[in-house]
Amino acid sequence: MNNLDPEVARDPEHLVVYGGRGKAARSWRDFEAIVAALRGLGEEETLLVQSGKAVGVFPTHADAPRVLIVNAMVVPKWATDDIFWDLEARGLTMYGQMTAGSWIYIGTQGILQGTFETLAALARTEFGAPDLAGRWFLSSGLGEMGGAQPLATTMLGGVALIVDVDPRAIERRLKGRYLDEKAADLDDALEQVQRAVAAREPRSVGLLGNAADVFPEILRRKITPDVVSDQTAAHDLMVGYIPRGYTVEQAAEARRKDPVAYRLGVQASIALEARAILGLRARGAKAFDYGNNFRTQAREAGVADAFDIEGYVPRYIRPLFEVGSGPFRWVALSGEANDIARIDRLLLSEFGQDEHLARWIRLAAEKVKFQGLPARICYMGYGERERFGHRVNDLVRDGELSAPIAIGRDHHDTGSVASPYRETEAMRDGSDAIADWPILNALLNVASGATWVSVHHGGGTGIGNSIHAGLVVVADGTPEADRRLGRTLHNDPGLGVARHADAGYPASLELAARAKFRIPRR
Ligand code: NAD
């Protein structure tokens, strides 16, 4: 219900939560059937959900999950867009994205925090700095996900110049205060950026324009940003990337009239932008691909060295995954913002020595508007999540929180996903496409007593490209919940450490050697 709250979901009428067509239930009839089954569910029963449809309630036991979910799984040879979407149209399956069909999406706070974490890791890796103070970031795209870029940059003290071809995207981000300013033109934009960088002041500037024009022009002027990326919806050539010379409306018309010529125009523009990014990179800018398949499209458009632009996971996020750290989140089932504020205080007092975490929590409390049930997200690692879970359960037990808390995470996490274009790109041992791990992850979370567990196919990078798992565990203040929280919140990130240790990452091997789990010798 929270995933489909009008404040949370992108298109609740069609049950679409986020990420293209990522849905929470197959149809409204299925939604009603799921809700009815949950209302009548006994404490020793488990509901099975097959791609958004309730298919059975089975006798289990109190420590077993109350719901088991599998979404969009097809036999590998059938895992193509054409076959999958045909099966979907025939009502046989549902695309669940990552947290849409597993019921733990919390709105735009997720991508804001993910972008904040990526840029913070970039600052540490590239500049040996805790933040982006005195640095500037050039990117494009102020859409659903890309719109988080300016605010994440300023939260880290940096300066962002974000180009978007759609004036509505700029206005929307100004209105939501994700973006500080709109520039009159490129001269004005660069002047504002240079002034803010010199003063080391956080500032974000939106510029109306096409990245395929603006990026090459910045290169031509011999101006070099510290960081450069692209967050247009380039994964979808037909609608996600507007070719140069067109407004959004003109592009819609051109694509309808002559799709083949339109597509060629898109590819030519992507190639121009990619060459500019590579040129800026050659002059010292730190360039990265932020999971929109930009490099693949550029390579197909003829930019042979597009993959010199590194993926954000291998370069920035993997070191976090190696130590079991990933996007962890919790939701106040009371609907009371005060419950989240109380947990924010708990984090600051118990985990406040982690300056990066404390910075996020303070800024999120100030800047994030809740959507649907109040929630909070942050990256937490092996050991920390378990400690946090016990403390939250104590607060529920002691009446300091007004209702139970649902604790979960994204499928984009340390031990829960196989996705060779994103989370498992360029694994040290070449195990990018090995998908045993997310299945083991789901099985382990079932054995550990999570409240609901999910396995999905195709989230993030699309059908055929990923397999991933999720869990949610509810802290209701009881001793039974405390044991389940301890097991799941230890084992789930623990498996991430084991997965990376198996791939030979030294930090994971070192952490595994002193962990509560064991890796058998061979
Ligand atoms: P969106 O469709 O909501 O927004 C895309 C924006 O790009 C639009 O505002 C559009 O006007 C603008 N744009 C298109 N072509 C342009 C051009 N040539 N120049 C300037 N602006 C242009 O998409 P979104 O939800 O923001 O997602 C962006 C991409 O990020 C997608 O490819 C998505 O798959 C990917 N993504 C990555 C992650 C991650 O974790 N890294 C997460 C989610 C999504």
Side-chain angles (χ1 to χ4, degrees), residues 142-342:
L142 287 167
E144 288 307 309
M145 301 289 149
Q149 296 178 104
L151 182 54
T153 307
T154 54
M155 284 171 108
L156 285 161
V159 180
L161 170 54
I162 317 288
V163 182
D164 200 296
V165 72
D166 187 349
R168 282 157 301 206
I170 296 178
E171 290 308 325
R172 178 158 166 250
R173 291 307 175 178
L174 280 171
K175 200 164 151 236
R177 311 229 312 266
Y178 269 53
L179 182 67
D180 297 331
E181 306 283 346
K182 178 172 72 176
D185 53 29
L186 181 59
D187 292 336
D188 177 35
L190 290 171
E191 201 187 302
Q192 289 196 45
V193 164
Q194 276 154 3
R195 215 178 316 124
V197 168
R200 293 176 75 83
E201 272 172 10
R203 175 161 302 269
S204 60
V205 181
L207 174 66
L208 181 64
N210 194 304
D213 291 320
V214 176
F215 285 32
E217 176 59 19
I218 290 176
L219 179 70
R220 198 190 62 75
R221 294 190 191 187
K222 298 198 165 52
I223 295 171
T224 311
D226 295 289
V227 184
V228 61
S229 190
D230 171 281
Q231 187 85 112
T232 61
H235 72 278
D236 186 340
L237 279 187
M238 285 315 274
V239 296
Y241 192 95
I242 306 295
R244 57 199 286 261
Y246 293 87
T247 63
V248 175
E249 290 73 21
Q250 289 164 344
E253 179 67 15
R255 129 177 15 112
R256 198 181 51 77
K257 269 198 185 142
D258 189 348
V260 177
Y262 178 79
R263 198 186 156 95
L264 288 173
V266 172
Q267 289 188 305
S269 290
I270 287 190
L272 280 174
E273 186 191 334
R275 289 203 182 93
I277 292 177
L278 287 164
L280 294 169
R281 179 175 179 274
R283 284 218 307 257
K286 307 300 175 193
F288 69 100
D289 176 296
Y290 196 31
N292 61 349
N293 227 12
F294 182 80
R295 292 171 300 174
T296 313
Q297 309 289 26
R299 191 170 58 187
E300 281 173 14
V303 183
D305 51 350
F307 271 75
D308 286 358
I309 305 169
E310 270 187 88
Y312 76 105
V313 173
R315 188 140 186 96
Y316 304 126
I317 298 296
R318 177 116 348 114
L320 298 169
F321 283 174
E322 284 169 30
V323 293
S325 187
F328 189 56
R329 59 187 61 181
W330 49 96
V331 179
L333 298 179
S334 60
E336 299 288 338
N338 278 343
D339 282 353
I340 295 299
R342 177 66 190 87

Side-chain angles (χ1 to χ4, degrees), residues 10 16-23 95-97 100 105 144-145 460:
R10 188 164 62 77
V16 171
V17 182
Y18 79 103
R21 289 174 267 180
K23 288 168 68 171
Y95 183 56
Q97 257 293 0
Y105 184 68
E144 288 307 309
M145 301 289 149

Side-chain angles (χ1 to χ4, degrees), residues 108-109 111-117 119-120 130-133 147-160 177-178 180 201-204 355-369 376-377:
T108 53
Q109 188 180 171
I111 188 68
L112 178 64
Q113 207 274 338
T115 308
F116 174 89
E117 209 63 52
L119 292 175
D131 57 30
L132 289 173
Q149 296 178 104
L151 182 54
T153 307
T154 54
M155 284 171 108
L156 285 161
V159 180
R177 311 229 312 266
Y178 269 53
D180 297 331
E201 272 172 10
R203 175 161 302 269
S204 60
E355 278 175 30
H356 175 66
L357 178 88
R359 177 182 196 144
W360 163 257
I361 293 295
R362 282 196 200 97
L363 285 166
E366 182 193 324
K367 298 195 187 266
V368 169
K369 184 174 160 291
R376 183 68 76 226
I377 178 170

